[in-house]
Short mmCIF file of all heavy atoms in Angstrom, two decimals:
data_model
loop_
_atom_site.label_atom_id
_atom_site.label_comp_id
_atom_site.label_asym_id
_atom_site.label_seq_id
_atom_site.Cartn_x
_atom_site.Cartn_y
_atom_site.Cartn_z
N SER R 1 -7.13 26.57 30.15
CA SER R 1 -6.44 25.34 29.82
C SER R 1 -5.29 25.64 28.86
O SER R 1 -5.43 26.43 27.95
CB SER R 1 -7.40 24.34 29.21
OG SER R 1 -7.81 24.76 27.94
N GLU R 2 -4.19 24.97 29.10
CA GLU R 2 -3.03 25.19 28.24
C GLU R 2 -2.99 24.17 27.12
O GLU R 2 -3.48 23.06 27.26
CB GLU R 2 -1.75 25.08 29.08
CG GLU R 2 -1.61 26.21 30.07
CD GLU R 2 -0.23 26.26 30.68
OE1 GLU R 2 0.71 25.77 30.03
OE2 GLU R 2 -0.12 26.75 31.79
N ILE R 3 -2.40 24.57 26.02
CA ILE R 3 -2.26 23.68 24.86
C ILE R 3 -0.88 23.06 24.90
O ILE R 3 0.13 23.75 25.05
CB ILE R 3 -2.45 24.48 23.54
CG1 ILE R 3 -3.85 25.07 23.50
CG2 ILE R 3 -2.21 23.60 22.34
CD1 ILE R 3 -4.07 26.03 22.36
N ASP R 4 -0.83 21.73 24.75
CA ASP R 4 0.43 21.02 24.74
C ASP R 4 0.94 20.94 23.31
O ASP R 4 0.45 20.15 22.51
CB ASP R 4 0.26 19.61 25.33
CG ASP R 4 1.57 18.86 25.46
OD1 ASP R 4 2.62 19.41 25.06
OD2 ASP R 4 1.54 17.72 25.96
N ILE R 5 1.92 21.78 22.97
CA ILE R 5 2.41 21.82 21.58
C ILE R 5 3.32 20.65 21.25
O ILE R 5 3.72 20.48 20.09
CB ILE R 5 3.13 23.15 21.28
CG1 ILE R 5 4.34 23.34 22.18
CG2 ILE R 5 2.17 24.31 21.40
CD1 ILE R 5 5.21 24.53 21.80
N THR R 6 3.65 19.80 22.22
CA THR R 6 4.48 18.63 21.93
C THR R 6 3.65 17.49 21.36
O THR R 6 4.19 16.54 20.81
CB THR R 6 5.21 18.14 23.20
OG1 THR R 6 4.24 17.74 24.18
CG2 THR R 6 6.11 19.22 23.76
N LYS R 7 2.33 17.58 21.47
CA LYS R 7 1.44 16.55 20.91
C LYS R 7 0.94 17.03 19.55
O LYS R 7 0.47 18.15 19.42
CB LYS R 7 0.26 16.30 21.83
CG LYS R 7 0.63 15.66 23.14
CD LYS R 7 -0.59 15.38 23.96
CE LYS R 7 -0.21 14.72 25.28
NZ LYS R 7 -1.38 14.47 26.12
N SER R 8 1.04 16.19 18.57
CA SER R 8 0.53 16.52 17.24
C SER R 8 0.17 15.24 16.52
O SER R 8 0.59 14.15 16.91
CB SER R 8 1.55 17.31 16.43
OG SER R 8 2.68 16.51 16.17
N GLN R 9 -0.60 15.37 15.48
CA GLN R 9 -0.95 14.22 14.67
C GLN R 9 0.18 13.91 13.70
O GLN R 9 0.92 14.81 13.29
CB GLN R 9 -2.24 14.48 13.89
CG GLN R 9 -3.45 14.62 14.77
CD GLN R 9 -4.71 14.82 13.96
OE1 GLN R 9 -4.66 15.11 12.77
NE2 GLN R 9 -5.85 14.68 14.60
N ASP R 10 0.28 12.63 13.32
CA ASP R 10 1.27 12.25 12.33
C ASP R 10 0.89 12.85 10.97
O ASP R 10 -0.28 12.95 10.64
CB ASP R 10 1.35 10.73 12.20
CG ASP R 10 1.91 10.08 13.45
OD1 ASP R 10 2.69 10.75 14.17
OD2 ASP R 10 1.59 8.91 13.71
N GLY R 11 1.92 13.25 10.22
CA GLY R 11 1.68 13.80 8.90
C GLY R 11 1.25 12.73 7.92
O GLY R 11 1.46 11.54 8.14
N LYS R 12 0.63 13.14 6.84
CA LYS R 12 0.22 12.22 5.77
C LYS R 12 0.78 12.77 4.46
O LYS R 12 0.89 13.98 4.28
CB LYS R 12 -1.31 12.14 5.68
CG LYS R 12 -1.96 11.53 6.91
CD LYS R 12 -3.46 11.50 6.73
CE LYS R 12 -4.14 10.97 7.98
NZ LYS R 12 -5.60 11.06 7.88
N ASP R 13 1.12 11.86 3.56
CA ASP R 13 1.67 12.26 2.28
C ASP R 13 0.61 12.89 1.38
O ASP R 13 -0.57 12.52 1.44
CB ASP R 13 2.26 11.07 1.54
CG ASP R 13 3.53 10.55 2.20
OD1 ASP R 13 4.18 11.32 2.92
OD2 ASP R 13 3.87 9.38 1.97
N VAL R 14 1.03 13.81 0.55
CA VAL R 14 0.21 14.37 -0.52
C VAL R 14 0.79 13.83 -1.82
O VAL R 14 1.99 13.92 -2.05
CB VAL R 14 0.26 15.92 -0.53
CG1 VAL R 14 -0.44 16.47 -1.76
CG2 VAL R 14 -0.37 16.46 0.74
N VAL R 15 -0.05 13.21 -2.65
CA VAL R 15 0.40 12.62 -3.91
C VAL R 15 -0.17 13.46 -5.05
O VAL R 15 -1.38 13.64 -5.15
CB VAL R 15 -0.07 11.16 -4.03
CG1 VAL R 15 0.37 10.56 -5.36
CG2 VAL R 15 0.45 10.33 -2.87
N ILE R 16 0.73 13.97 -5.89
CA ILE R 16 0.33 14.78 -7.04
C ILE R 16 0.77 14.06 -8.31
O ILE R 16 1.95 13.77 -8.47
CB ILE R 16 0.94 16.19 -6.96
CG1 ILE R 16 0.44 16.88 -5.68
CG2 ILE R 16 0.59 17.01 -8.19
CD1 ILE R 16 1.03 18.22 -5.42
N GLY R 17 -0.18 13.77 -9.19
CA GLY R 17 0.09 13.01 -10.40
C GLY R 17 0.88 13.81 -11.43
O GLY R 17 1.27 14.96 -11.20
N GLU R 18 1.08 13.20 -12.58
CA GLU R 18 1.84 13.81 -13.68
C GLU R 18 1.01 14.91 -14.35
O GLU R 18 -0.20 14.82 -14.45
CB GLU R 18 2.16 12.74 -14.74
CG GLU R 18 2.90 11.55 -14.18
CD GLU R 18 4.38 11.59 -14.49
OE1 GLU R 18 4.76 12.27 -15.45
OE2 GLU R 18 5.13 10.93 -13.77
N ASN R 19 1.71 15.95 -14.81
CA ASN R 19 1.11 17.05 -15.58
C ASN R 19 -0.05 17.74 -14.86
O ASN R 19 -1.05 18.10 -15.48
CB ASN R 19 0.65 16.54 -16.96
CG ASN R 19 1.81 16.03 -17.78
OD1 ASN R 19 2.85 16.66 -17.85
ND2 ASN R 19 1.63 14.88 -18.40
N CYS R 20 0.07 17.93 -13.55
CA CYS R 20 -0.93 18.67 -12.78
C CYS R 20 -0.54 20.15 -12.74
O CYS R 20 0.64 20.49 -12.83
CB CYS R 20 -1.02 18.14 -11.35
SG CYS R 20 -1.75 16.51 -11.24
N VAL R 21 -1.53 21.00 -12.61
CA VAL R 21 -1.30 22.44 -12.46
C VAL R 21 -1.99 22.87 -11.18
O VAL R 21 -3.18 22.59 -11.00
CB VAL R 21 -1.86 23.23 -13.66
CG1 VAL R 21 -1.68 24.72 -13.46
CG2 VAL R 21 -1.19 22.78 -14.96
N ILE R 22 -1.26 23.55 -10.30
CA ILE R 22 -1.82 24.01 -9.03
C ILE R 22 -1.80 25.54 -9.02
O ILE R 22 -0.74 26.15 -9.13
CB ILE R 22 -1.00 23.46 -7.85
CG1 ILE R 22 -0.87 21.97 -8.04
CG2 ILE R 22 -1.62 23.90 -6.53
CD1 ILE R 22 -1.01 21.08 -6.93
N GLY R 23 -2.98 26.14 -8.92
CA GLY R 23 -3.09 27.59 -8.94
C GLY R 23 -2.52 28.23 -7.69
O GLY R 23 -2.39 27.59 -6.64
N MET R 24 -2.17 29.50 -7.81
CA MET R 24 -1.57 30.24 -6.71
C MET R 24 -2.48 30.26 -5.48
O MET R 24 -3.70 30.38 -5.60
CB MET R 24 -1.28 31.67 -7.17
CG MET R 24 -0.52 32.49 -6.16
SD MET R 24 -0.04 34.07 -6.82
CE MET R 24 1.39 33.59 -7.75
N ASN R 25 -1.88 30.12 -4.32
CA ASN R 25 -2.55 30.16 -3.01
C ASN R 25 -3.53 29.02 -2.79
O ASN R 25 -4.39 29.11 -1.91
CB ASN R 25 -3.25 31.50 -2.77
CG ASN R 25 -2.27 32.64 -2.64
OD1 ASN R 25 -1.17 32.46 -2.13
ND2 ASN R 25 -2.65 33.81 -3.12
N ALA R 26 -3.44 27.94 -3.58
CA ALA R 26 -4.27 26.77 -3.32
C ALA R 26 -3.72 26.04 -2.10
O ALA R 26 -2.52 26.05 -1.85
CB ALA R 26 -4.27 25.84 -4.53
N VAL R 27 -4.61 25.43 -1.33
CA VAL R 27 -4.22 24.67 -0.15
C VAL R 27 -4.62 23.22 -0.39
O VAL R 27 -5.78 22.93 -0.69
CB VAL R 27 -4.94 25.20 1.11
CG1 VAL R 27 -4.62 24.35 2.32
CG2 VAL R 27 -4.56 26.65 1.34
N ILE R 28 -3.65 22.31 -0.27
CA ILE R 28 -3.92 20.88 -0.43
C ILE R 28 -3.65 20.23 0.92
O ILE R 28 -2.52 20.25 1.42
CB ILE R 28 -3.04 20.28 -1.53
CG1 ILE R 28 -3.31 20.99 -2.85
CG2 ILE R 28 -3.30 18.78 -1.65
CD1 ILE R 28 -2.42 20.57 -3.99
N LEU R 29 -4.69 19.68 1.52
CA LEU R 29 -4.58 19.12 2.87
C LEU R 29 -3.86 17.78 2.87
O LEU R 29 -3.79 17.09 1.84
CB LEU R 29 -5.97 18.98 3.48
CG LEU R 29 -6.72 20.30 3.69
CD1 LEU R 29 -8.06 20.05 4.37
CD2 LEU R 29 -5.90 21.27 4.52
N PRO R 30 -3.30 17.39 4.03
CA PRO R 30 -2.58 16.12 4.13
C PRO R 30 -3.46 14.94 3.76
O PRO R 30 -4.66 14.92 4.05
CB PRO R 30 -2.20 16.06 5.62
CG PRO R 30 -2.20 17.46 6.08
CD PRO R 30 -3.28 18.15 5.27
N GLY R 31 -2.85 13.96 3.09
CA GLY R 31 -3.55 12.74 2.71
C GLY R 31 -4.26 12.80 1.38
O GLY R 31 -4.84 11.81 0.93
N VAL R 32 -4.24 13.94 0.70
CA VAL R 32 -4.94 14.09 -0.57
C VAL R 32 -4.11 13.51 -1.72
O VAL R 32 -2.90 13.64 -1.75
CB VAL R 32 -5.25 15.59 -0.84
CG1 VAL R 32 -5.67 15.83 -2.28
CG2 VAL R 32 -6.31 16.07 0.11
N CYS R 33 -4.79 12.86 -2.66
CA CYS R 33 -4.16 12.31 -3.86
C CYS R 33 -4.85 12.94 -5.07
O CYS R 33 -6.07 12.89 -5.19
CB CYS R 33 -4.35 10.80 -3.90
SG CYS R 33 -3.78 10.04 -5.42
N LEU R 34 -4.04 13.56 -5.94
CA LEU R 34 -4.55 14.14 -7.18
C LEU R 34 -4.05 13.30 -8.34
O LEU R 34 -2.85 13.09 -8.48
CB LEU R 34 -4.08 15.59 -7.34
CG LEU R 34 -4.51 16.58 -6.26
CD1 LEU R 34 -3.93 17.95 -6.54
CD2 LEU R 34 -6.02 16.64 -6.16
N GLY R 35 -4.96 12.82 -9.17
CA GLY R 35 -4.59 12.02 -10.33
C GLY R 35 -3.93 12.85 -11.41
O GLY R 35 -3.87 14.09 -11.34
N ASP R 36 -3.43 12.16 -12.43
CA ASP R 36 -2.76 12.82 -13.56
C ASP R 36 -3.68 13.86 -14.21
O ASP R 36 -4.89 13.68 -14.29
CB ASP R 36 -2.35 11.80 -14.61
CG ASP R 36 -1.30 10.81 -14.10
OD1 ASP R 36 -0.68 11.09 -13.05
OD2 ASP R 36 -1.11 9.78 -14.75
N LYS R 37 -3.07 14.94 -14.68
CA LYS R 37 -3.75 16.01 -15.42
C LYS R 37 -4.89 16.65 -14.64
O LYS R 37 -5.96 16.90 -15.18
CB LYS R 37 -4.24 15.50 -16.77
CG LYS R 37 -3.12 15.01 -17.67
CD LYS R 37 -3.65 14.50 -18.98
CE LYS R 37 -2.52 13.92 -19.81
NZ LYS R 37 -3.01 13.25 -21.01
N THR R 38 -4.67 16.89 -13.34
CA THR R 38 -5.65 17.60 -12.52
C THR R 38 -5.24 19.07 -12.45
O THR R 38 -4.08 19.38 -12.23
CB THR R 38 -5.71 17.01 -11.10
OG1 THR R 38 -6.11 15.64 -11.18
CG2 THR R 38 -6.71 17.77 -10.23
N ILE R 39 -6.19 19.96 -12.66
CA ILE R 39 -5.93 21.40 -12.55
C ILE R 39 -6.67 21.90 -11.31
O ILE R 39 -7.88 21.68 -11.18
CB ILE R 39 -6.43 22.14 -13.81
CG1 ILE R 39 -5.69 21.62 -15.05
CG2 ILE R 39 -6.27 23.64 -13.64
CD1 ILE R 39 -6.25 22.13 -16.36
N VAL R 40 -5.92 22.55 -10.42
CA VAL R 40 -6.50 23.08 -9.18
C VAL R 40 -6.59 24.60 -9.32
O VAL R 40 -5.58 25.26 -9.57
CB VAL R 40 -5.64 22.71 -7.96
CG1 VAL R 40 -6.25 23.26 -6.68
CG2 VAL R 40 -5.45 21.20 -7.85
N GLY R 41 -7.78 25.14 -9.17
CA GLY R 41 -7.99 26.57 -9.30
C GLY R 41 -7.31 27.36 -8.20
O GLY R 41 -7.13 26.88 -7.08
N ALA R 42 -6.92 28.59 -8.51
CA ALA R 42 -6.25 29.46 -7.54
C ALA R 42 -7.14 29.68 -6.32
O ALA R 42 -8.35 29.86 -6.44
CB ALA R 42 -5.93 30.80 -8.20
N GLY R 43 -6.53 29.62 -5.14
CA GLY R 43 -7.23 29.86 -3.90
C GLY R 43 -8.12 28.73 -3.42
O GLY R 43 -8.82 28.87 -2.43
N SER R 44 -8.10 27.59 -4.11
CA SER R 44 -8.94 26.46 -3.73
C SER R 44 -8.41 25.78 -2.48
O SER R 44 -7.22 25.83 -2.18
CB SER R 44 -8.99 25.44 -4.87
OG SER R 44 -9.57 26.01 -6.01
N VAL R 45 -9.31 25.11 -1.76
CA VAL R 45 -8.93 24.31 -0.60
C VAL R 45 -9.33 22.87 -0.92
O VAL R 45 -10.51 22.53 -0.98
CB VAL R 45 -9.64 24.80 0.68
CG1 VAL R 45 -9.25 23.93 1.86
CG2 VAL R 45 -9.29 26.26 0.95
N VAL R 46 -8.32 22.03 -1.15
CA VAL R 46 -8.56 20.64 -1.56
C VAL R 46 -8.58 19.78 -0.30
O VAL R 46 -7.55 19.56 0.33
CB VAL R 46 -7.49 20.15 -2.55
CG1 VAL R 46 -7.82 18.76 -3.05
CG2 VAL R 46 -7.35 21.12 -3.72
N THR R 47 -9.78 19.30 0.07
CA THR R 47 -9.95 18.54 1.30
C THR R 47 -10.10 17.04 1.07
O THR R 47 -10.02 16.27 2.02
CB THR R 47 -11.19 19.03 2.06
OG1 THR R 47 -12.33 18.87 1.21
CG2 THR R 47 -11.04 20.49 2.46
N LYS R 48 -10.33 16.63 -0.19
CA LYS R 48 -10.47 15.20 -0.49
C LYS R 48 -9.72 14.87 -1.76
O LYS R 48 -9.34 15.76 -2.52
CB LYS R 48 -11.94 14.80 -0.61
CG LYS R 48 -12.65 15.41 -1.80
CD LYS R 48 -14.08 14.92 -1.91
CE LYS R 48 -14.69 15.38 -3.22
NZ LYS R 48 -15.94 14.72 -3.52
N SER R 49 -9.52 13.59 -1.99
CA SER R 49 -8.74 13.12 -3.14
C SER R 49 -9.57 13.10 -4.42
O SER R 49 -10.79 12.91 -4.39
CB SER R 49 -8.21 11.71 -2.87
OG SER R 49 -7.27 11.75 -1.82
N PHE R 50 -8.87 13.29 -5.54
CA PHE R 50 -9.45 13.18 -6.88
C PHE R 50 -8.52 12.27 -7.70
O PHE R 50 -7.83 12.73 -8.60
CB PHE R 50 -9.58 14.56 -7.53
CG PHE R 50 -10.56 15.46 -6.83
CD1 PHE R 50 -10.16 16.27 -5.79
CD2 PHE R 50 -11.90 15.45 -7.20
CE1 PHE R 50 -11.06 17.08 -5.13
CE2 PHE R 50 -12.82 16.27 -6.53
CZ PHE R 50 -12.40 17.08 -5.49
N PRO R 51 -8.47 10.97 -7.35
CA PRO R 51 -7.50 10.07 -7.97
C PRO R 51 -7.74 9.79 -9.45
O PRO R 51 -6.83 9.38 -10.15
CB PRO R 51 -7.63 8.78 -7.14
CG PRO R 51 -9.01 8.83 -6.60
CD PRO R 51 -9.31 10.29 -6.38
N GLU R 52 -8.97 10.05 -9.95
CA GLU R 52 -9.26 9.77 -11.36
C GLU R 52 -8.56 10.76 -12.27
O GLU R 52 -8.28 10.46 -13.43
CB GLU R 52 -10.77 9.81 -11.60
CG GLU R 52 -11.43 11.16 -11.43
CD GLU R 52 -11.68 11.57 -9.98
OE1 GLU R 52 -11.46 10.75 -9.07
OE2 GLU R 52 -12.10 12.72 -9.77
N GLY R 53 -8.26 11.97 -11.78
CA GLY R 53 -7.55 12.97 -12.58
C GLY R 53 -8.38 13.45 -13.76
O GLY R 53 -9.59 13.30 -13.80
N ASN R 54 -7.68 14.06 -14.73
CA ASN R 54 -8.32 14.58 -15.95
C ASN R 54 -9.51 15.47 -15.65
O ASN R 54 -10.59 15.32 -16.23
CB ASN R 54 -8.73 13.43 -16.89
CG ASN R 54 -7.54 12.66 -17.38
OD1 ASN R 54 -6.61 13.22 -17.93
ND2 ASN R 54 -7.55 11.36 -17.16
N CYS R 55 -9.33 16.40 -14.70
CA CYS R 55 -10.43 17.27 -14.32
C CYS R 55 -9.90 18.62 -13.83
O CYS R 55 -8.72 18.78 -13.55
CB CYS R 55 -11.29 16.62 -13.24
SG CYS R 55 -10.40 16.24 -11.72
N VAL R 56 -10.81 19.58 -13.76
CA VAL R 56 -10.52 20.89 -13.19
C VAL R 56 -11.30 20.96 -11.88
O VAL R 56 -12.52 20.72 -11.87
CB VAL R 56 -10.96 22.03 -14.13
CG1 VAL R 56 -10.68 23.38 -13.50
CG2 VAL R 56 -10.27 21.91 -15.48
N ILE R 57 -10.60 21.25 -10.78
CA ILE R 57 -11.27 21.37 -9.49
C ILE R 57 -11.03 22.77 -8.94
O ILE R 57 -10.00 23.39 -9.19
CB ILE R 57 -10.79 20.30 -8.48
CG1 ILE R 57 -9.30 20.41 -8.19
CG2 ILE R 57 -11.14 18.91 -8.98
CD1 ILE R 57 -8.81 19.46 -7.10
N ALA R 58 -12.03 23.28 -8.21
CA ALA R 58 -11.90 24.61 -7.63
C ALA R 58 -12.92 24.77 -6.52
O ALA R 58 -13.89 24.01 -6.43
CB ALA R 58 -12.10 25.68 -8.70
N GLY R 59 -12.70 25.76 -5.69
CA GLY R 59 -13.64 26.10 -4.64
C GLY R 59 -13.14 25.76 -3.25
O GLY R 59 -12.02 25.30 -3.06
N ASN R 60 -14.00 26.02 -2.26
CA ASN R 60 -13.70 25.74 -0.87
C ASN R 60 -14.95 25.12 -0.24
O ASN R 60 -15.88 25.84 0.08
CB ASN R 60 -13.32 27.02 -0.14
CG ASN R 60 -12.98 26.77 1.32
OD1 ASN R 60 -12.89 25.65 1.77
ND2 ASN R 60 -12.83 27.85 2.06
N PRO R 61 -14.97 23.79 -0.10
CA PRO R 61 -13.95 22.82 -0.50
C PRO R 61 -13.97 22.59 -2.00
O PRO R 61 -15.00 22.81 -2.66
CB PRO R 61 -14.36 21.55 0.25
CG PRO R 61 -15.84 21.66 0.40
CD PRO R 61 -16.11 23.15 0.57
N ALA R 62 -12.84 22.17 -2.54
CA ALA R 62 -12.72 21.96 -3.98
C ALA R 62 -13.67 20.86 -4.46
O ALA R 62 -13.89 19.86 -3.77
CB ALA R 62 -11.29 21.61 -4.35
N ARG R 63 -14.23 21.09 -5.63
CA ARG R 63 -15.08 20.08 -6.28
C ARG R 63 -14.79 20.14 -7.78
O ARG R 63 -14.24 21.12 -8.28
CB ARG R 63 -16.56 20.33 -5.98
CG ARG R 63 -17.07 21.65 -6.50
CD ARG R 63 -18.54 21.88 -6.12
NE ARG R 63 -19.00 23.17 -6.61
CZ ARG R 63 -19.44 23.40 -7.85
NH1 ARG R 63 -19.48 22.42 -8.74
NH2 ARG R 63 -19.83 24.60 -8.22
N ILE R 64 -15.21 19.11 -8.47
CA ILE R 64 -14.98 19.05 -9.92
C ILE R 64 -15.91 20.06 -10.59
O ILE R 64 -17.12 20.05 -10.39
CB ILE R 64 -15.25 17.64 -10.47
CG1 ILE R 64 -14.22 16.66 -9.90
CG2 ILE R 64 -15.18 17.65 -12.00
CD1 ILE R 64 -14.44 15.21 -10.29
N ILE R 65 -15.30 20.94 -11.38
CA ILE R 65 -16.11 21.90 -12.14
C ILE R 65 -16.10 21.60 -13.63
O ILE R 65 -16.93 22.12 -14.36
CB ILE R 65 -15.68 23.37 -11.88
CG1 ILE R 65 -14.24 23.60 -12.26
CG2 ILE R 65 -15.92 23.74 -10.43
CD1 ILE R 65 -13.83 25.07 -12.20
N ARG R 66 -15.15 20.76 -14.06
CA ARG R 66 -15.11 20.37 -15.47
C ARG R 66 -14.23 19.14 -15.64
O ARG R 66 -13.20 19.02 -15.01
CB ARG R 66 -14.54 21.50 -16.31
CG ARG R 66 -14.45 21.17 -17.79
CD ARG R 66 -14.13 22.36 -18.62
NE ARG R 66 -15.28 23.27 -18.55
CZ ARG R 66 -15.21 24.56 -18.74
NH1 ARG R 66 -14.07 25.13 -19.02
NH2 ARG R 66 -16.28 25.32 -18.65
N ASP R 67 -14.66 18.22 -16.49
CA ASP R 67 -13.81 17.08 -16.88
C ASP R 67 -13.02 17.47 -18.10
O ASP R 67 -13.50 18.24 -18.95
CB ASP R 67 -14.66 15.84 -17.16
CG ASP R 67 -15.25 15.23 -15.90
OD1 ASP R 67 -14.54 15.19 -14.88
OD2 ASP R 67 -16.42 14.82 -15.93
N ILE R 68 -11.82 16.92 -18.20
CA ILE R 68 -10.96 17.22 -19.36
C ILE R 68 -11.01 16.04 -20.30
O ILE R 68 -10.88 14.93 -19.90
CB ILE R 68 -9.51 17.49 -18.91
CG1 ILE R 68 -9.48 18.70 -17.98
CG2 ILE R 68 -8.61 17.70 -20.11
CD1 ILE R 68 -8.12 18.98 -17.38
#
C-alpha cells in the first residue's frame, strides 16, 4: 500500500508561557500549553499540557518532578 503524502493533519499551536526554560533536545508535541515558569528537562518528550506552570517536568512522557 502506498502512503499519500498530500494528506496530513492540521497543525496545532504550542503555547509557551513567560520565563520558561526548555532543555536541549526536548520535544514538545503540537497542542501543548506550558504555563509560566515551567522548566523542561533536556531530552524530555512533552505529550500533554502543564498550564499551571511553576514546575519542573522531565521524562518520556514528561511528568512533574518538582513544584517551584
